[in-house]
Amino acid sequence: MSDIKLPIEAQKELDKISKVAGYLWQREWAERNAGNISMNLTSFFKREEILEKTKNKSFTPFDFPKGTEGYVLFITGTGCYLRSLVDNIEEASCILYINEDATSYTIIWGGKREGFAPTCELISHSSIHLFNTINNPTHLAILHTHPLELIVMSHHPLFNDEEELNRQIWMMCPEVRVFVPKGIHCTPYALSSTEALAKVTMEAFKTRNVSLWEKHGATATGEDVEKAWDYLDVANKGAKLLLMCWASGFKPAGLSNEQLKELEQFT
């Protein structure tokens, strides 16, 4: 059975994903098969068409969180390189449909590589998409990657003082305070591809824009993948400027508390 035809709106989102994947590779944030991207595309598809197209397809068992029944998710593949999304997105990712009792999925587009399977972080992504459906419904995209300077900060003692870490990163330039207004969550270490990692990440998004996974990487959500990228890009810029000052041997003056407070009118 052939892939389902992509709605124009969904294709536009895939084009953005390809573009952002290129950014990640150029920035050295996506070494080898590091990182993953997903997007909740349910609203872009007609449910009746999905049910008709999948009624004779085989499904792969998977224990999704209850509440994700009928979701249509774009997601990258396990072992796939994000740089492959630039030119070979149909081989490095797929769009899958979760069945009506959230116990299995079938691929309705992409996954053309031999032996393809969705990322091992599927439980984390589906759980966060469900969380956003309930708590932040405009956020359809999830981006996990390895921003160099943010990872360095997760090894620093400041990681144990979230408020102070955010203050020092915010004070590096006004844009960081304005465009990452809720700041960075210092998310404690949890093993990849586990429910524990999903839980600590969802806890992070209750209060912050970015979840900084201890000694691992960072994750953000957004209305689309470009918006999620912006959170990570700007947050990492603050961390990079801070590290540059330290490496140059001085403590940055930074924006004052009064100046940071003044910027809240733009957040």
Side-chain angles (χ1 to χ4, degrees), residues 1-264:
M1 185 178 293
S2 61
D3 284 352
I4 195 168
K5 184 178 180 180
L6 291 182
I8 293 174
E9 294 83 0
Q11 183 60 60
K12 289 179 179 178
E13 297 305 324
L14 266 58
D15 292 343
K16 294 178 188 177
I17 289 167
S18 291
K19 182 169 63 174
V20 168
Y23 297 164
L24 297 171
W25 173 247
Q26 292 164 10
R27 292 283 289 274
E28 300 182 0
W29 288 11
E31 73 282 1
R32 201 174 181 274
N33 63 322
N36 35 71
I37 300 171
S38 69
M39 186 165 184
N40 186 346
L41 298 176
T42 309
S43 62
F44 296 91
F45 288 85
K46 294 179 180 178
R47 183 172 180 274
E48 297 76 13
E49 184 180 358
I50 294 287
L51 291 174
E52 177 63 26
K53 278 282 190 177
T54 60
K55 66 181 180 181
N56 295 318
K57 294 196 74 169
S58 61
F59 281 71
T60 301
F62 193 89
D63 187 19
F64 290 98
K66 297 305 177 185
T68 59
E69 299 89 349
Y71 274 26
V72 178
L73 301 180
F74 167 90
I75 197 158
T76 46
T78 187
C80 293
Y81 297 2
L82 290 190
R83 64 177 183 260
S84 298
L85 297 176
V86 177
D87 298 315
N88 298 296
I89 192 169
E90 290 187 57
E91 295 182 7
S93 62
C94 73
I95 297 175
L96 59 83
Y97 165 70
I98 299 175
N99 72 347
E100 295 301 300
D101 56 4
T103 58
S104 63
Y105 69 87
T106 189
I107 293 174
I108 62 173
W109 179 91
K112 301 297 186 183
R113 192 186 71 173
E114 184 177 355
F116 178 90
T119 174
C120 61
E121 299 286 1
L122 181 56
I123 186 62
S124 293
H125 281 262
S126 57
S127 298
I128 295 169
H129 281 302
L130 176 60
F131 172 86
N132 276 344
T133 297
I134 298 167
N135 299 284
N136 204 4
T138 64
H139 279 215
L140 301 180
I142 301 171
L143 172 58
H144 166 62
T145 187
H146 294 175
L148 302 182
E149 287 78 14
L150 281 176
I151 293 174
V152 171
M153 294 303 299
S154 81
H155 288 267
H156 192 276
L158 265 181
F159 187 80
N160 298 316
D161 188 343
E162 185 173 302
E163 293 298 327
E164 182 61 16
L165 179 143
N166 275 292
R167 190 187 72 82
Q168 293 204 32
I169 287 178
W170 274 331
M171 74 182 190
M172 294 312 303
C173 68
E175 285 74 15
V176 183
R177 181 69 184 93
V178 171
F179 296 118
V180 193
K182 294 181 181 179
I184 298 163
H185 185 274
C186 297
T187 307
Y189 183 86
L191 187 65
S192 297
S193 72
T194 62
E195 288 190 41
L197 182 57
K199 288 179 180 178
V200 294
T201 305
M202 287 186 289
E203 191 65 29
F205 290 137
K206 290 180 180 178
T207 56
R208 302 294 192 183
N209 300 119
V210 172
S211 172
L212 177 53
W213 292 357
E214 183 178 8
K215 303 168 187 173
H216 181 164
T219 302
T221 73
E223 289 86 351
D224 58 26
V225 73
E226 290 181 326
K227 299 294 195 305
W229 151 264
D230 285 340
Y231 283 126
L232 294 168
D233 183 37
V234 177
N236 193 74
K237 176 71 172 289
K240 183 176 183 177
L241 291 172
L242 182 59
L243 290 168
M244 288 174 69
C245 292
W246 291 346
S248 298
F250 71 91
K251 180 180 178 181
L255 296 163
S256 68
N257 289 336
E258 292 75 18
Q259 290 167 333
L260 288 172
K261 183 70 175 176
E262 185 181 35
L263 290 168
E264 290 182 5

